[in-house]
Amino acid sequence: MLAFLDHLEEWLVATLIGAATVIIFAAVVHRYAAAWPIPGVQDFLLGLNMSWAQELCIYMFIWMAKFGAAYGVRTGIHVGVDVFINRLKDKTRAKFVVIGLMGGALFTAVVGSLGFRFVWEVGMRYAVATTFGFQWPDLTEGPVSPDLEWPVWIFYLAIPLGSYLMCFRFLQVTWRFIKTGQLPRVEEGHVDGLDEELAKDDLLPAGVKGGN
Amino acid sequence: MSGAIIFLLLACLMLTGMPISISLGLTVLTFLFAFTNVPVESVAMKLFTGIEKFEIMAIPFFILAGNFLTHGGVAKRMINFATALVGHLRGGLALGGILACGLFAAVSGSSPATVVAIGSILLPAMERQGYPKKFGVGVIGTSGALGILIPPSIVMVIYAVSTNASIGKLFIAGIIPGILLVLLLMTVTWVVAKKNDYPTLPRASFPTLLKSFRDSFWGLFLIIVVIGGIYSGIFTATEAAAMSAVYAFFVAVFVYKDMTLKDVPRTLLASANMSAMILYIITNAVLFSFLLTSEQIPQYLSSWITDMGLGKIGFLVMVNLLLLAAGNFMEPSSILLITAPLLFPMAMQLGIDEIHLGVLMTVNMEIGMITPPVGLNLYVASGISHLGLTETTKACAPWIIVMLVFLICITYVPGISLWLPKMLF
């Protein structure tokens, strides 16, 4: 179950960043390609409306950002100012680490709840009521996005979902830290393919070894 | 008064070591809840509008583009080209290293990755050729920071986003200071090499030079895609970033073949991880600056600065000192996001050009990367060279001084940053 959640999270953020790139690329290519007078093709391209690309890209990145932030808790990429606590004794330091992590859990829980209330009021309540036929008072349909004309609450749902997931990740990291004393850490400045290049050892021309 | 409470609160939360983004957010929530009647619900609204700008989306795209080209193979090509160009001068490998750092950092967009990539390849070669280890570590550790200034620069995008300055103008303004800094570092290194009679490489033949240029050109063309595309008006900055990501993917997979299609999801995930972290800081920094504005702190600071009669230069010196101090504790994007909304109105009040301020702040961020205690470049340089952190810092010290001199030039002579954008726009 947890492994499934991990994979879903990773798959979601990687797909969103990749797809957003392709969409913006396609929109730019489309804008210029449509200007070329190729019979048939031009009419087809002019018939396509790509004005939604920018909006969709923004919303994809909001989803990517919220779920990526939760994934980032798990990878330990959210760094803070740790110069001071690192000078403390291990036991005191551990207390501060837990305070920091619980601060993260508290903040994301509050934001998730505020976000959910907002999303609920801005259209989800209406959508739920109409879908299931509830007779709630004061039902108003929420706004739709300007280009795609989708209900905005669907996009904004990323905030409560992402924040609650992030809260869960903070608690998970805290639990692991208390149990094992280990915190996730991102390796700074990781570069692929260095070992292959180092194995080649062809940087200095043959014969140039010592000073000359 | 409220300003003092806000910053005290922020400082306390930060000192516990919790993520900077969370400290910013918690400060806002606590302050709104405890000291004001502003409904906390208004925070929810801000959470949505915080990152709904298309300009911000340039950041994930640039990170993605950089990650595609952050590869040992690309580093090697840049080193080959750089040493073919300047290797025959006194201290050739070191000079080539600085140039290679500049090129690789511009393309990869990451300072620590530049130090690791160029350093791992070049430092052993330098040692074998008889350079003192500390000299090599100092040169490479410092030059890794060049990427922040040479476009495409993520730090500049962050400045542009938080002050509404033009990304294109900032990128173009970074070109001359970037080249100047490379030349300055190379000159100092050359003088040191001359004095100590450090080794040289044989002069590269013209065909070798040409071949190494052709090899590195594919990577370097990324800079031209971005700057040329934005300047000519073919793309907006965000579109240029997306195009550069696609271009970098194409070069890495099909031209350089450093990467197979199987490696792409991993690169996407790593880029998403990094981008989401920065976007999360941005969201919370937007909340924070909303709080500052609603408490009228920027206005208060602006009138204070006029009352002080500090003047342009006095103010800029103060900015430098503040940023250098902050650079000792935080990484560039957080510093910019917290300080830019405060400093910007003051600078405008004093008639300082927004582009000049942007370049100045960027150079400050560069220096922050190589000064202890949290200079990331120092950590990675010490990691690859197995020199202690103190030794690494000492090794970098002469070049840090060069950087400080450069910072003073940038501060006092706005023309260095403003001449090219004024010519072009």
Side-chain angles (χ1 to χ4, degrees):
Chain A
M1 180 59 203
L2 272 182
F4 173 74
L5 186 67
D6 288 1
H7 282 303
L8 183 71
E9 189 182 61
E10 287 169 15
W11 177 86
L12 182 74
V13 295
T15 311
L16 284 173
I17 194 173
T21 314
V22 173
I23 287 173
I24 294 300
F25 177 74
V28 173
V29 170
H30 169 261
R31 188 168 76 219
Y32 286 97
W36 284 343
I38 308 168
V41 176
Q42 192 183 27
D43 293 336
F44 169 72
L45 286 175
L46 286 175
L48 286 175
N49 181 1
M50 295 285 286
S51 61
W52 47 265
Q54 197 159 317
E55 191 180 286
L56 184 61
C57 168
I58 291 177
Y59 288 125
M60 287 172 97
F61 272 146
I62 290 181
W63 278 75
M64 191 275 286
K66 297 302 164 196
F67 285 87
Y71 171 68
V73 175
R74 182 150 65 92
T75 59
I77 203 167
H78 297 281
V79 293
V81 182
D82 55 3
V83 248
F84 300 106
I85 62 161
N86 283 348
R87 304 207 169 161
L88 300 171
K89 273 190 235 122
D90 274 354
K91 258 201 163 146
T92 333
R93 180 180 167 270
K95 279 184 196 134
F96 274 105
V97 169
V98 172
I99 292 174
L101 291 169
M102 293 318 282
L106 172 72
F107 177 70
T108 45
V110 171
V111 163
S113 306
L114 288 176
F116 183 74
R117 206 149 99 199
F118 180 80
V119 168
W120 183 250
E121 294 303 328
V122 90
M124 191 176 170
R125 183 164 170 267
Y126 176 86
V128 171
T130 43
T131 314
F132 298 105
F134 296 136
Q135 297 299 321
W136 288 335
D138 306 326
L139 279 183
T140 39
E141 196 173 355
V144 293
S145 67
D147 289 321
L148 288 166
E149 295 176 2
W150 291 351
V152 291
W153 69 266
I154 296 180
F155 300 124
Y156 290 159
L157 202 56
I159 290 155
L161 290 181
S163 296
Y164 282 139
L165 181 62
M166 201 167 168
C167 179
F168 172 69
R169 293 295 182 201
F170 269 118
L171 295 173
Q172 204 179 18
V173 170
T174 315
W175 175 245
R176 278 191 201 142
F177 176 71
I178 292 170
K179 262 188 18 192
T180 65
Q182 299 281 313
L183 280 177
R185 269 249 165 268
V186 166
E187 189 195 344
E188 290 294 350
H190 174 77
V191 181
D192 277 338
L194 269 178
D195 297 334
E196 289 91 316
E197 295 303 326
L198 286 174
K200 281 181 201 160
D201 188 31
D202 55 353
L203 195 59
L204 297 177
V208 182
K209 290 284 166 181
N212 61 338
Chain B
M1 185 55 207
S2 53
I5 299 174
I6 292 172
F7 281 99
L8 194 70
L9 205 58
L10 180 65
C12 287
L13 288 172
M14 274 189 180
L15 287 183
T16 66
M18 73 173 64
I20 291 172
S21 43
I22 301 288
S23 323
L24 286 167
L26 272 181
T27 305
V28 176
L29 286 185
T30 318
F31 188 83
L32 287 183
F33 186 72
F35 298 99
T36 68
N37 298 320
V38 180
V40 183
E41 282 75 26
S42 63
V43 171
M45 194 59 221
K46 276 282 145 191
L47 283 174
F48 298 97
T49 48
I51 54 170
E52 273 192 339
K53 276 196 208 159
F54 193 55
E55 287 73 42
I56 297 180
M57 306 312 161
I59 296 168
F61 286 139
F62 277 133
I63 290 176
L64 183 59
N67 278 354
F68 275 124
L69 292 176
T70 303
H71 193 276
V74 179
K76 189 60 165 293
R77 290 179 189 95
M78 300 296 172
I79 292 173
N80 283 343
F81 173 52
T83 47
L85 212 57
V86 295
H88 58 278
L89 299 169
R90 200 38 76 185
L93 266 185
L95 297 178
I98 296 173
L99 195 55
C101 276
L103 301 176
F104 186 77
V107 171
S108 80
S110 159
S111 274
T114 304
V115 175
V116 171
I118 305 287
S120 309
I121 298 175
L122 212 55
L123 287 179
M126 283 177 80
E127 248 181 288
R128 238 176 302 138
Q129 227 201 346
Y131 288 89
K133 190 169 186 170
K134 280 180 75 175
F135 179 76
V137 174
V139 168
I140 304 297
T142 318
S143 313
L146 283 167
I148 300 184
L149 190 56
I150 303 175
S153 151
I154 289 157
V155 169
M156 282 182 171
V157 178
I158 290 177
Y159 174 84
V161 164
S162 56
T163 62
N164 286 323
S166 142
I167 297 178
K169 272 190 196 167
L170 270 170
F171 277 4
I172 287 176
I175 297 176
I176 290 191
I179 294 174
L180 262 183
L181 183 55
V182 172
L183 290 178
L184 189 63
L185 288 173
M186 283 174 73
T187 313
V188 173
T189 308
W190 181 77
V191 171
V192 175
K194 195 91 174 165
K195 214 178 87 195
N196 293 317
D197 203 30
Y198 288 149
T200 63
L201 291 173
R203 187 184 282 275
S205 65
F206 187 70
T208 320
L209 180 64
L210 203 66
K211 187 184 170 302
S212 69
F213 174 68
R214 264 211 323 267
D215 282 347
S216 62
F217 177 77
W218 286 101
L220 295 177
F221 191 68
L222 181 104
I223 306 173
I224 298 170
V225 168
V226 172
I227 303 242
I230 297 177
Y231 174 62
S232 62
I234 300 177
F235 323 124
T236 65
T238 308
E239 284 170 352
M243 296 308 268
S244 74
V246 173
Y247 175 79
F249 160 77
F250 176 78
V251 170
V253 175
F254 298 109
V255 182
Y256 284 164
K257 300 196 174 80
D258 287 335
M259 195 182 268
T260 60
L261 282 172
K262 255 202 353 254
D263 301 325
V264 172
R266 211 157 44 88
T267 307
L268 286 175
L269 189 61
S271 311
N273 195 15
M274 184 77 181
S275 320
M277 185 268 288
I278 295 185
L279 291 175
Y280 200 67
I281 302 179
I282 294 181
T283 324
N284 289 294
V286 168
L287 270 184
F288 187 69
S289 72
F290 157 75
L291 175 66
L292 293 180
T293 317
S294 81
E295 294 296 314
Q296 305 204 322
I297 289 162
Q299 292 94 314
Y300 172 75
L301 283 175
S302 300
S303 65
W304 176 72
I305 208 86
T306 342
D307 294 345
M308 287 268 288
L310 213 52
K312 267 192 200 184
I313 297 297
F315 169 73
L316 289 179
V317 169
M318 195 195 78
V319 170
N320 281 334
L321 293 176
L322 174 75
L323 294 179
L324 288 177
N328 289 338
F329 304 105
M330 280 185 264
E331 39 80 46
S333 34
S334 307
I335 302 177
L336 265 177
L337 284 164
I338 297 172
T339 58
L342 287 172
L343 298 174
F344 189 72
M346 291 195 253
M348 292 305 106
Q349 180 91 3
L350 292 168
I352 293 162
D353 192 283
E354 54 182 19
I355 303 296
H356 179 212
L357 183 69
V359 174
L360 185 150
M361 289 181 90
T362 310
V363 175
N364 264 301
M365 298 303 110
E366 272 188 313
I367 298 175
M369 302 292 299
I370 48 172
T371 47
V374 292
L376 211 45
N377 281 16
L378 292 179
Y379 275 95
V380 292
S382 130
I384 54 167
S385 63
H386 307 295
L387 230 53
L389 197 58
T390 323
E391 286 299 298
T392 311
T393 313
K394 277 191 204 151
C396 289
W399 285 271
I400 297 177
I401 294 169
V402 175
M403 294 272 247
L404 285 172
V405 171
F406 178 70
L407 175 65
I408 295 171
C409 297
I410 291 288
T411 309
Y412 284 96
V413 192
I416 302 174
S417 357
L418 296 180
W419 179 75
L420 194 61
K422 283 226 170 95
M423 283 278 289
L424 292 176
F425 287 99

